């Protein structure tokens, strides 16, 4: 899990958004499978939800950095 965190931090903004969207799709599929009853590992749902939240945090941090840079440039002009 710790390795996964480091890998996610090294991704570009677009790659993080793409990975988050893929995980969301997989999570929805997993939820559907749980309703139907074909899930081997029920803990996988929690793990995926946490990974999506981690990516959302990293994406939000980059958004804030970009906003701050743009604000600083606007003030400097």
């Amino acid at each position: 899990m710790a390795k996964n965190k480091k890998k996610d931090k090294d991704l570009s903004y677009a790659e993080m958004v793409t990975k988050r969207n893929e995980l969301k799709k997989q999570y929805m599929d997993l939820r559907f499978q749980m309703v139907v009853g074909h899930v081997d590992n029920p803990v996988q749902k929690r793990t995926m939800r946490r990974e999506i939240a981690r990516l959302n945090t990293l994406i939000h941090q980059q958004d804030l950095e970009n906003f701050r840079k743009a604000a600083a440039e606007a003030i400097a002009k």
Side-chain angles (χ1 to χ4, degrees), residues 10-41:
D10 296 335
L11 295 175
S12 71
Y13 182 82
E15 291 171 334
M16 281 193 281
V17 171
T18 303
K19 185 173 180 180
R20 179 192 61 185
N21 292 339
E22 289 173 5
L23 281 172
K24 280 185 174 182
K25 184 180 181 314
Q26 290 175 2
Y27 180 71
M28 294 302 285
D29 292 341
L30 183 65
R31 283 181 56 196
F32 177 74
Q33 290 173 359
M34 288 189 89
V35 169
V36 175
H38 295 88
V39 175
D40 296 330
N41 186 5

Side-chain angles (χ1 to χ4, degrees), residues 24-64:
K24 280 185 174 182
K25 184 180 181 314
Q26 290 175 2
Y27 180 71
M28 294 302 285
D29 292 341
L30 183 65
R31 283 181 56 196
F32 177 74
Q33 290 173 359
M34 288 189 89
V35 169
V36 175
H38 295 88
V39 175
D40 296 330
N41 186 5
V43 178
Q44 184 180 8
K45 183 178 174 186
R46 177 177 54 192
T47 306
M48 288 181 80
R49 199 171 55 237
R50 289 180 179 175
E51 193 169 342
I52 291 168
R54 188 175 302 113
L55 282 169
N56 280 334
T57 301
L58 292 171
I59 289 169
H60 183 69
Q61 286 174 347
Q62 274 198 342
D63 282 340
L64 287 176

